[in-house]
Amino acid sequence: MPAAQHVAVPAPVAVPRPRPSAEPSTGPRRGLPFWAGLLPVLTALALATRLPSFLRPLWNPDEGFLATQARMLAHGAVLYRTVVDRKPPLLPWLYEACFRAFGDGSLLPVKSLAVVAQLVTAVLLASLARRRWGERAGCTAGVLYLLVSIGLEPEDAQAATFEVFAVPWTAAAMWCADRGRWGRAGLATAAALLTKQTGGAVLAPVLLMLWTARPAARGGAVALGLGTTLPVAAVAWACGPARLLFWCVTGSGSYASIEGSVGASAARAVANAGVLTTSCAGLLAPVCLLLLARRRFAPPELWLWLIASGVAVTTGFHFFGHYYLQLIPPLTLLATAALRALPDAALPVAGGLCALSCAAFLGAGLLGTPPELPHSLRIADAVRARTAPADPVLIWGMHPEQYWFADRPPAGRFLTAGLLTNYSGGRDASAVGEAYGVPGGWPVLRRELRTRPPALVVDDSRGKPYAVGRVPSLRAFLRGGYERVGSVEGAVLYARR
């Protein structure tokens, strides 16, 4: 009998397990068409929804503050020293970089970056939803976010200000944490915090995701901690730790107080919450439907993200409309999760509601004009007519864009009367005045006015609680060397004798 032949059998090849941080296995032919098809749609939506922002020179005083501040920085001023604000430095530096690169006469470069910021946020939300629930959910999240992203008054939603540039960082922090990239999640959290203080609220859901990760991933706490603290420490070193702490945290106690503004703040909170609820009806309806049915449909970190963002909105008790933008990314993901649990017919209904809302707010932005913009332009014309380009000017009001429109340097580091009197958002006279201003601000202003007297002073208080008649230091300064030379729509102009 012939001997049995021995045939070598190859050892089985170990098939590597997919990494938990990878995208769902869709194959190379399916993965490319998803983004190739979705990205053009999201780009077109981002451009369309931000179109009104390009039709006006600016939309609110925050843009005017940033523009004036950036112009001063580009001409040698130092942040938190010779020009001050209560906000972190990343966005002022971004405005300054745009002004240095493209000139300081237009906000178009910054407005273009705001489009990019909204597009990046939508892409990150789409990627988060796709990884968790599939490609249909990814498309849903990206499109719904952009449709409702302008669901506030145009001066809140269309302005290229802090919240618009903070939300992509918060979405990036959640995206990185979802993939276990804790160091990068910390960097994104730090960037959100350094764009606006309340952007740091995203740290709460990121920490929850770290806590609920597999034990092997909990070593990421060190990476998360370093990623969050090192950028903040570097910025503090660049700006001066004491100055950064004072202007961004400890020096804003009176501003964050609710004294003198309970009624106005409550009315503003209800009004802006109502506007956002109406604009986000397509997102809220499926979420509320499943909540009433007591069905679990979303992971806890998304709920915590929404709650932390809600706490951020209430911080300071001012409830300005643009604060509410921070709620939209987590709400979009919750709605996407809810729509997965509902019948297929719910998606076109929700999408239709969001599209109607988008059309309404887009129309309001295309047809509307910021209420104070014409007045500010007229003030700027009067200032230019009475001063030379290098003449310092003091505009006593709450619209720093008037400096920018007039192309005249401010006479000091304080760009609004609010910093020196604590006036903001309808606060009444009970908590407005020199005694309520930024600690140490008035001695600095008096010194600046003596050293470099303004060629023109514009009292744009127009009967507000910070009127010159209620501010002894400023009243004495005007009496000592200025005379009234005209008025513009209630604003009074004073020139040096």
Side-chain angles (χ1 to χ4, degrees), residues 45-46 49-50 118-119 121-122 142-153 156-158 164 167 276 279-280 283 324-325 328-329 332 354 357-358 361:
L45 272 176
T49 53
R50 299 294 301 179
Q118 291 289 57
L119 175 61
T121 305
V143 170
L144 291 185
Y145 171 76
L146 288 173
L147 288 177
V148 300
S149 64
I150 58 169
L152 289 164
E153 296 291 339
D156 293 310
Q158 295 293 339
V164 169
V167 290
L276 186 68
S279 67
C280 292
L283 303 183
Y324 289 78
L325 292 172
I328 296 179
T332 299
C354 291
S357 165
C358 179
F361 284 95

Side-chain angles (χ1 to χ4, degrees), residues 468-469 471-483 494 497:
V468 170
V471 183
S473 294
L474 187 57
R475 186 171 67 247
F477 174 74
L478 290 175
R479 287 177 178 173
Y482 289 79
E483 61 182 356
Y494 297 89
R497 295 195 188 101

